[in-house]
Amino acid sequence: MKKVTQPGVLEKALASFRRKGKTIGFVPTMGALHEGHLSLVRASKKKNDVTVVSIFVNPLQFGPKEDLKNYPRLAANDLALLKKEKVDFVFMPSEQVMYEKDHSLLIGFESVTSREASPSSIQAISNRFCGEFRPGHFRGVMTVVAKLFNVVKPCEAYFGAKDFQQAVIIRKMARELNQGVSVRILPTIRENAGLALSSRNQYLTPGERRRALKISEVLFWLRDQIWAGGKNLPTLLRQAEEKLLESVDSVQYLAAADPETLIPLEEIQRNMVILTACFVGKTRLIDNVILHA
Ligand code: AMP
């Protein structure tokens, strides 16, 4: 496993594999790795000749009052985990390397095809759900992922359904910008008790962790209600939110959407995603369930 900090060094190394016709799989992360990240690494290893993992806590995607400073940084442990998975390259650029002093371009959302952005445009998707509470977040995510795609030029990039809105936005960005990357979205890995694995779970006290279990419990309850023939989506969502509030401190959103377009749904349909963001103590947790008919 090679650890690389300079984009030029990685580009050169990967170019020689590309010339030999080798496929490159890429897993972007912010580190503090867990089994969720490792599931993406294993999928990439299985499908590609060369696997690159990036570890970069991207300041652009954090709001001024968010947890950038306290975000867990566990480089030594991360490197040991990735070595065990036989990852080929770990890209760990510094903030100065990723964003030069006068870095100015953000991947924005202006629609060139219509004045009124359609509800399935990247602009519209980025402003709802998490975007409503984290203004600029997805612009930061798209900017860093676009930069990383330009350095790695992967055939396939792997993202977790855990951050479903992010994955849908990146898939759309890759298509609209002809980045030549297939974006794979893989299932959320959970603790046995149901809690979706997240680097932010480290912030939870034991009591908060117990309360956080309610999130997956309620999402699974909703899924089961719908599968059992429950008909009235707004009522089910209202009941689910009440259940959530028995344990979590606040609910930013709990909503159903079409899994392709992320347009919110008022009625049950064959394929749906139900997404939520909640606070447990000071920790903001997101989760979702995907329903296929
Ligand atoms: P992060 O380090 O939080 O930016 O996450 C890096 C990648 O790992 C993203 O594509 C996430 O969606 C994915 N990921 C995070 N948690 C999980 C999980 N529990 N299961 C599957 N993928 C995950």
Side-chain angles (χ1 to χ4, degrees), residues 28-31 34 36-37 39-40 71 158-163 166 186-189 196-199:
T29 81
M30 297 206 298
H34 50 63
H37 299 111
S39 71
L40 306 179
Y71 196 83
Y158 294 80
F159 292 87
K162 158 76 172 37
D163 300 274
Q166 165 179 285
L186 300 189
T188 300
I189 306 296
L197 297 187
S198 164
S199 307

Side-chain angles (χ1 to χ4, degrees), residues 1 25-29 33-48 50-55 78 81-90 157-160 186 189:
M1 186 175 85
F26 178 43
V27 183
T29 81
L33 302 180
H34 50 63
E35 279 295 314
H37 299 111
L38 298 182
S39 71
L40 306 179
V41 169
R42 287 171 198 142
S44 172
K45 288 277 305 174
K46 208 164 161 187
K47 187 82 193 293
N48 298 279
V50 178
T51 289
V52 182
V53 176
S54 64
I55 299 178
D78 290 346
L81 288 171
L82 295 176
K83 200 166 174 188
K84 223 158 114 195
E85 299 296 331
K86 301 195 167 64
V87 162
D88 301 283
F89 293 94
V90 184
Y158 294 80
F159 292 87
L186 300 189
I189 306 296

Side-chain angles (χ1 to χ4, degrees), residues 198-272:
S198 164
S199 307
R200 290 190 166 95
N201 291 354
Q202 300 183 19
Y203 301 147
L204 301 170
T205 64
E208 287 171 344
R209 185 176 281 266
R210 266 193 303 279
R211 291 200 284 132
L213 293 177
K214 193 71 162 190
I215 300 169
S216 54
E217 194 185 303
V218 166
L219 289 172
F220 296 154
W221 175 84
L222 253 174
R223 180 187 63 188
D224 293 345
Q225 292 295 308
I226 293 168
W227 279 348
K231 293 253 169 344
N232 190 319
L233 186 57
T235 305
L236 285 172
L237 287 170
R238 240 188 340 269
Q239 289 172 342
E241 185 160 343
E242 278 167 24
K243 285 178 185 289
L244 266 178
L245 285 167
E246 289 166 12
S247 288
V248 307
D249 292 298
S250 63
V251 178
Q252 282 191 331
Y253 64 85
L254 171 66
D258 180 280
E260 290 297 316
T261 61
L262 278 192
I263 295 176
L265 296 172
E266 293 290 322
E267 285 178 23
I268 290 166
Q269 64 176 39
R270 286 171 70 84
N271 294 325
M272 310 172 52

Side-chain angles (χ1 to χ4, degrees), residues 81-120:
L81 288 171
L82 295 176
K83 200 166 174 188
K84 223 158 114 195
E85 299 296 331
K86 301 195 167 64
V87 162
D88 301 283
F89 293 94
V90 184
F91 182 44
M92 295 177 81
S94 67
E95 206 177 307
Q96 291 72 22
V97 163
M98 274 310 268
Y99 299 112
E100 292 176 353
K101 233 182 21 260
D102 56 352
H103 180 97
S104 55
L105 181 68
L106 292 174
I107 301 285
F109 327 121
E110 286 310 311
S111 167
V112 289
T113 49
S114 63
R115 257 166 198 283
E116 206 57 51
S118 92
S120 59

